[in-house]
Amino acid sequence: QVVFDELPRGPFELWAATDGLASAPVRVEDGATVEIALERAANVRGEIAAEGFVAPSSTVTLVPLEGDHATRIATIDSTGRFAIEGVPLGRWRVETVVSGHVQAAEQVLRVAEPETSLTVRMLQTGTVSGTVVDSHGAPVPHATIVLRDQAGEQRPLTVSSTNLRWVHPLAGTRQMPANSSGRFSAPRPGARPTECGRGHCGIDIGSVRGTVVHAAADGEVVAIFAESRTEAGKLVAIHHGGGLKTMYMHLDEIRPGLEVGQAIRAGEPVGLLGSTGFVRAIPHVHFAITHEYGRTWYLDPEPLLRHAVVLREPRAYEPFEPSQAREPLEGKPVVQRIMTDAKGAFQIAGVAPGNYVVGAFASDYAPGASPGFAVRGGEQTPGVNVTLDAGIAVKGIVVGRDGPLAGAVVMAGAGIGETAHKIATTFTDKNGRFVLRALAGKVTLAVQAPLYGEVERSLVVDERTREQTFQLTIENARLRGQVLAPDGGAAAGVTVRVIDGPTRRRATTDAQGKFTLERVATGTYVLELSSPEFPSKRIEVETEKWREVRLEVGGGARVLVRDAAGTPLANVRVEVAGPSNHAANRMTDAKGVAELRGLVPGEWRISARSAGFAPASQNVTIRPERVLKDVALELARSATVAGTIRDRYGRRVAGARVSLGGATTKTDADGNFRIADAPVGAGVIEAEFDGARGTLPIELQPGAERVALTIELQ
C-alpha cells in the first residue's frame, strides 16, 4: 500500500512498474483509493553510441506510440549504458538528450520480448553564432531567432514551464499523432509561419467522429467559430494567461451554451471531434498552442501532452454552465526561444550537422533570413548575419457614419484557418488615421470599433497598397420577436441564429419565448430557430420590426445502443440524418440511451459509432407527435489492421489511400498505414496511389489485430 499526502486538488495519474511487470496509468480524483494491476512487461537495456564524452546526467526517454502508458525516462551511467524496467509491450519513440550530441535519426523501438536491447547512435553537434542588424548596420536587440534546415525542419518553440495543470483533450487512452504526418512541422501546402517548419502548426489527434474534446487547462474562452468558414472548420480558442492560448479545430459541434468570455476548467468539454473545414483522410482534432509575443507564435503541443493527465472517460457532454469562480493564472508561461542580446548577437548550441538558414523576427521590422550555411559536428559556425528591413508602412483612415473614427482597432494578420496569426496591431488617432509598420507579403487587415461592425480586407503589401480607407457600418439596430410552440405557448430556450445578413449574432429565447439581437446593422436577415424539442425553422426578419413565429410539430426517437453481449454502451455518438438535410446528434447516457426530439416528420437514418466498434445504422420513419421507443442498435467489436504499402519494386509508398469497407486512411512518410476501427467479417483492403492499385482479401474476427500486412501496388 502506498499513500500520497498533501497533493493539490484535481485529477492525477498513478502507475507502477517493476522487473518484468508494469501497469497502465490509473486516473484518480481527490481522495480516491485505487488498485493498480500489474501486467507482463519487458526490460529495455541499451547503450549510447557517440563520439566524445557522454555526461552521466544524460537521459533516454521512451514515448508510447501504442496503448495508454506513461512516458519512461532513464539516466545514462558513466559507461554510456542505461536500463528501464517494466516497459509495456508495444511501439515506443526513442528521444535521447546528451549534451553536445543529437540523435542520428528518429528511432522507434518495438518492445515484444522480455529482454529488449537498444542502441542509440548520436552525432556531435555544432554551434551557430551571428548578429541581426537593420539596413543601416545598427544592431537589432530582442529579435526572435528561428533555425531551419534546408528541408524545412526547425527547432519548434515549446512551453518549458507553467503553473497550469494540463489535461489531454481526449479521454480514455493517451492519444498522440498516429504517424509523422500528424506531428508539428509536418509538410503542408501553402505559405505557413516560419516556426511551423514545413507547414503543420499543431498536432492531429483522435480519429472517431463524435469523440468529446476537453479543455486542456483552466482559462477563458476567447473565440468560437460555430460555422465552418475556413480550413480550420468549427473551432474553440481558450486563453490561459500570459498570452498562452490553446485551439481545438475541425470540431463537428461546439458544446451548447459555450460562449466567448466564459471561464472554463481543465477537462470540461468544448465540443465534439469531427471533420469540418479542410481536413485530411479521417476525422481528427487539430490541437494548437500559440503565444502572443509581438506576433502570434505557434508552439509544439506534443511535449505537454506526453505528461498531461488523461481522463478515464469523457466528461458529461451537457449544455455548458459557466464556472462561478476561477483562480487567476499566477505568473507567465515560460516559452523557450532564442533571442538576440543588446548588441544584436545570438548563439545557438546543439545544432545537428546539416545545411541551415536563420530567420529573424523583430517588432518594427519585416522578417528576414540569412544566406544558407553548413554546420559540422563539433565545430563552431560563426558569422551568420541577418539584415532586417523596415518593410512597408500601410497607412489609412477609418470612417464611420459621421466621419473619421478615433480609437478604432486595426490588426494585420496572415495565414488562414489552422495557421492564422496576428502580425501587428494599432489604433486610429483623433483624426481616424492609422499606421501599420513593417508589413510584407500577403496580409489581412481587420478593423473594429465600438458600435460598428468589423471589416476585413486581404491585400498584398506593395507600393500600391500603402494607403487604405475603411468604411464601417454602424450597428445600432435590433432584431426582435417571439417564438411560440406548436400549441401556441411560449417556446423557451430556442436558439436564434443569424445565417444571412450584414451582422452575425445569436441569442436564446427567454421564458416568454422572446428574443432580442442587439447591435446589428440595419437591414433584412434570415434567422434559424433551433430547439431540442421542435424541428428547426428559418424565417426572414427586418430590423426594428417585431416578428412572431410558431414552430411546427415534430417527432422523436429513443435509441438504445448495446454491444453484442447486450450490455448498454455509454458515451456513444448517435447521429440522425433526415429530410431536406436535417441532422442532429446525441451522446448515449449511462444506460446506453440517446433521446432525439424535434425531428422533422419523414424518413431518417440513425447511426451509432464509438471507438473500438464498427458503426451500425438503421432507417426509421418519424411521425408527428410520436417518439419511437424501440430503436435498438448493436455495435460489434471492430478489428485493427496495419501494415505497409510498397510499389512493384518493393519501395515504400507514402501518401497512398488505403480503405477497408467504410474506413479509410493514408500511408505515412514510411509507407505505413493503420485502421483502428476496421469492420469485422470478410472484406478486401484496397490501396491506391497515382493510378497504381493493390488489394488484399482479409477476414477479421471481433477484436482481431492484423498489424504486419503488406500490399503491393501494380
Side-chain angles (χ1 to χ4, degrees), residues 476-527:
N476 60 353
R478 297 178 300 173
L479 294 169
R480 300 185 303 137
Q482 185 177 30
V483 182
L484 303 177
D487 61 3
V494 176
T495 299
V496 182
R497 181 171 64 96
V498 174
I499 61 171
D500 188 20
T503 307
R504 299 301 172 107
R505 294 280 187 270
R506 66 168 56 207
T508 303
T509 58
D510 61 18
Q512 288 76 44
K514 297 179 181 179
F515 67 88
T516 301
L517 298 176
E518 303 279 1
R519 292 186 56 244
V520 301
T522 301
T524 301
Y525 291 78
V526 176
L527 306 183

Side-chain angles (χ1 to χ4, degrees), residues 148-154 185 194 196-199:
R148 294 182 61 178
D149 72 17
Q150 302 288 27
E153 292 281 3
Q154 96 305 322
S185 83
T194 300
C196 296
R198 289 171 291 175

Side-chain angles (χ1 to χ4, degrees), residues 13-17 22-27 44 59-75 83-88 91-97 103 109 111 168 173-177 183 301-310:
E13 288 184 334
L14 301 178
W15 62 278
S23 76
V26 177
R27 280 90 196 182
V44 175
T59 60
V60 174
T61 301
L62 299 183
V63 179
L65 297 179
E66 298 174 340
D68 185 16
H69 303 300
T71 299
R72 294 333 200 237
I73 302 176
T75 301
I84 308 176
E85 296 182 342
V87 179
R91 295 188 309 132
W92 299 75
R93 185 167 61 249
V94 181
E95 298 181 354
T96 308
V97 178
Q103 278 184 230
L109 175 68
V111 178
H168 197 291
T173 61
R174 187 179 304 277
Q175 299 190 49
M176 303 300 285
R183 299 184 69 187
E302 196 167 328
L304 283 175
L305 294 194
R306 290 177 197 154
H307 305 284
V309 172
V310 182

